[in-house]
Amino acid sequence: MIIEPRTRGFICLTSHPTGCEQNVINQIEYVKSKGKIEGAKKVLVLGASTGFGLASRITSAFGSDAATIGVFFDKPATEGRPGSPGYYNTAAFEKHAHKAGLYAKSINGDAFSNEIKEQVVNLIKEDLGQVDLVIYSLASPVRKHPNTGKRFKSVLKPIGEVFTNKTVDFHTGNVSEISINPAEGDDIANTVTVMGGEDWKMWMDALQAENLLSEGATTVAYSYIGPEVTKPVYRNGTIGAAKDDLEKTAFEITDDLKSINGNAYVSVNKALVTQASSAIPVIPLYISLLFKVMKEKGIHEGCIEQIERLYSERLFGGDLALDDKGRIRIDDWEMREDVQAEIAELWKKATTENLSELGDLEGYSNEFFNLFGFKVAGVDYDADVNEMVSIPSEQ
Ligand code: NAD
Ligand code: NA
């Protein structure tokens, strides 16, 4: 079939298998171009199909020749209806990993559930024995709690008062003011339940209980801080409460891992266009200005550049360079004073009329479509493509 992008608000309903594969190939080539990383050899990635998790899986596999198990929640195609990008990404990843002689298996299902944890535990027992790195990169709006069956929804709201600021509709370039009502009822607690550290700890408990973590094993979860302008809706909002909880959980997990000399870290990453971040008001305007400034300074990075640097310079580079809260800061270039000062100036000026010059709206929009395998250089979108791609290890 011929597959074209079909968008509805912040989501794209279709995705392109050839474009997704090209994205994966580009990431693999980038990692290979940077040379070998003396890193972990047996790696479990939770949230492995898109964004930072996919980049982590690719960096482990092609930077350190690691065997990887990837867990994610994605839709395969049905006749005439493309699968989700994470599905195509993983099919492509496995294909190229296997071609390179690397072990790669995937489990598609709800990582919050006991069933999926059990499946992963059994797979590690059968195939790898133990793992030495666990990447926790889930981003989900909902979580069904495994103990109670209760469904929790996370929300992106400020805490305490209404937040009013600028935002952009990146499809039209329209800059407008948006007001977001503060959290009410159980909003904060629910968001912490979905995006906080409880599930990360449950995973590590399940792995440790079965002796599936090797001596000195490391686990890393991803967080975000960001600038002043997004603080009320991000870091000081409901999602920030969840990130505080996640960051606190790192210390608890490190305590739990004492007997094997293991460590749990949070890495604070850069703001990037992913499916998750496109849905947060105000953030797309910030990202379009951020990209403009960072590209001009020659320090722009995407997911793969971020994670390759995280691995080669921090995790396996001998210097974690932890901040005063014990976090790895791979958002260091985003948070540079000169970068933030320029964005603050541009922020005041940005309007519908001038944003295409002040900001990198085109870059934002392109990266959004790239997430779904569209507008990827070198892909012939007029060519007939078979949508019924499957993940090799799932066959
Ligand atoms: P993403 O949406 O690209 O990836 C999320 C992954 O989680 C996908 O593989 C998806 O399949 C998987 N997933 C979601 N729900 C699942 C479930 N129930 N069971 C199994 N898998 C599930 O997200 P991302 O932007 O890469 O975010 C990953 C982490 O990085 C998050 O903690 C996020 O807060 C953090 N982070 C993101 C940004 C950013 O700008 N996007 C910046 C810094 C940190
Ligand atoms: Na991810």
Side-chain angles (χ1 to χ4, degrees):
M1 67 188 288
I2 306 288
I3 308 174
E4 285 174 348
R6 281 205 357 247
T7 56
R8 191 172 63 204
F10 303 117
I11 50 170
C12 182
L13 302 168
T14 50
S15 62
H16 200 283
T18 317
C20 289
E21 177 169 13
Q22 191 58 52
N23 281 335
V24 168
I25 292 171
N26 293 346
Q27 293 193 47
I28 291 172
E29 289 309 315
Y30 176 78
V31 169
K32 282 165 56 177
S33 78
K34 301 295 281 183
K36 286 291 166 205
I37 300 166
E38 288 296 319
K41 291 292 188 190
K42 295 174 182 181
V43 181
L44 170 63
V45 182
L46 306 164
S49 65
T50 57
F52 286 114
L54 174 64
S56 305
R57 191 176 194 186
I58 291 173
T59 305
S60 284
F62 290 90
S64 307
D65 298 318
T68 59
I69 293 174
V71 181
F72 48 83
F73 211 6
D74 278 285
K75 271 207 201 78
T78 53
E79 249 359 288
R81 216 187 156 164
S84 57
Y87 197 91
Y88 289 141
N89 290 340
T90 302
F93 170 81
E94 276 200 13
K95 176 177 147 188
H96 291 278
H98 295 165
K99 225 198 281 181
L102 298 168
Y103 172 100
K105 284 191 185 177
S106 306
I107 292 181
N108 187 4
D110 181 7
F112 298 129
S113 70
N114 292 330
E115 293 75 19
I116 291 296
K117 289 186 176 74
E118 221 174 276
Q119 274 187 42
V120 171
V121 159
N122 290 333
L123 184 59
I124 295 173
K125 276 186 197 167
E126 277 165 31
D127 287 2
L128 302 179
Q130 289 184 319
V131 292
D132 40 16
L133 176 63
V134 179
I135 298 291
Y136 190 85
S137 188
L138 297 180
S140 174
V142 290
R143 175 177 174 217
K144 185 174 157 193
H145 202 285
N147 300 343
T148 60
K150 200 179 158 202
R151 266 173 74 88
F152 295 89
K153 277 186 66 183
S154 71
V155 298
L156 297 159
K157 292 184 183 173
I159 292 174
E161 51 190 305
V162 177
F163 173 55
T164 302
N165 212 322
K166 290 180 187 178
T167 192
V168 65
D169 176 336
F170 58 89
H171 291 306
T172 62
N174 190 52
V175 177
S176 63
E177 205 163 76
I178 186 170
S179 287
I180 312 165
N181 285 326
E184 48 186 44
D186 296 329
D187 280 348
I188 301 171
N190 291 350
T191 305
V192 171
T193 303
V194 179
M195 287 297 286
E198 187 187 34
D199 181 62
W200 184 21
K201 185 163 154 50
M202 283 179 160
W203 269 103
M204 299 312 295
D205 286 347
L207 296 169
Q208 202 180 11
E210 300 283 343
N211 192 28
L212 301 180
L213 298 171
S214 60
E215 175 72 20
T218 299
T219 182
V220 183
Y222 297 139
S223 188
Y224 183 63
I225 296 178
E228 288 301 320
V229 282
T230 62
K231 222 169 223 172
V233 68
Y234 197 94
R235 195 63 210 207
N236 291 348
T238 49
I239 184 72
K243 291 302 186 190
D244 288 344
D245 185 74
L246 184 81
E247 291 173 13
K248 190 185 77 190
T249 304
F251 298 105
E252 291 168 23
I253 297 175
T254 295
D255 277 344
D256 294 343
L257 299 183
K258 281 256 153 64
S259 61
I260 58 156
N261 291 309
N263 279 294
Y265 298 107
V266 161
S267 171
V268 181
N269 298 351
K270 176 197 183 191
L272 282 170
V273 180
T274 67
Q275 293 187 60
S277 65
S278 297
I280 309 178
V282 188
I283 300 255
L285 178 57
Y286 168 71
I287 292 182
S288 77
L289 299 175
L290 177 73
F291 281 14
K292 179 82 169 191
V293 171
M294 292 187 83
K295 282 178 186 176
E296 269 170 11
K297 291 179 185 289
I299 53 171
H300 178 69
E301 295 176 304
C303 283
I304 198 67
E305 290 85 0
Q306 274 273 288
I307 299 299
E308 198 282 333
R309 191 160 65 90
L310 169 67
Y311 276 50
S312 64
E313 295 185 12
R314 301 288 203 276
L315 281 181
F316 307 110
D319 185 11
L320 290 165
L322 302 179
D323 71 6
D324 59 354
K325 292 191 168 141
R327 303 172 295 205
I328 299 170
R329 300 298 299 268
I330 211 72
D331 66 339
D332 49 352
W333 296 351
E334 168 180 0
M335 300 311 285
R336 251 168 52 175
E337 247 171 72
D338 58 324
V339 171
Q340 287 301 322
E342 282 183 39
I343 295 170
E345 278 308 305
L346 294 172
W347 188 270
K348 288 185 226 153
K349 294 184 199 145
T351 62
T352 305
E353 290 67 40
N354 65 22
L355 186 61
S356 58
E357 276 158 56
L358 295 192
D360 185 22
L361 208 51
E362 202 189 326
Y364 192 105
S365 176
N366 270 331
E367 292 207 21
F368 176 79
F369 284 105
N370 286 173
L371 297 175
F372 303 89
F374 296 110
K375 300 192 185 182
V376 178
V379 175
D380 177 5
Y381 291 101
D382 296 327
D384 198 38
V385 59
N386 175 19
E387 73 281 14
M388 299 299 286
V389 175
S390 45
I391 295 173
S393 75
E394 282 206 321
Q395 279 171 332

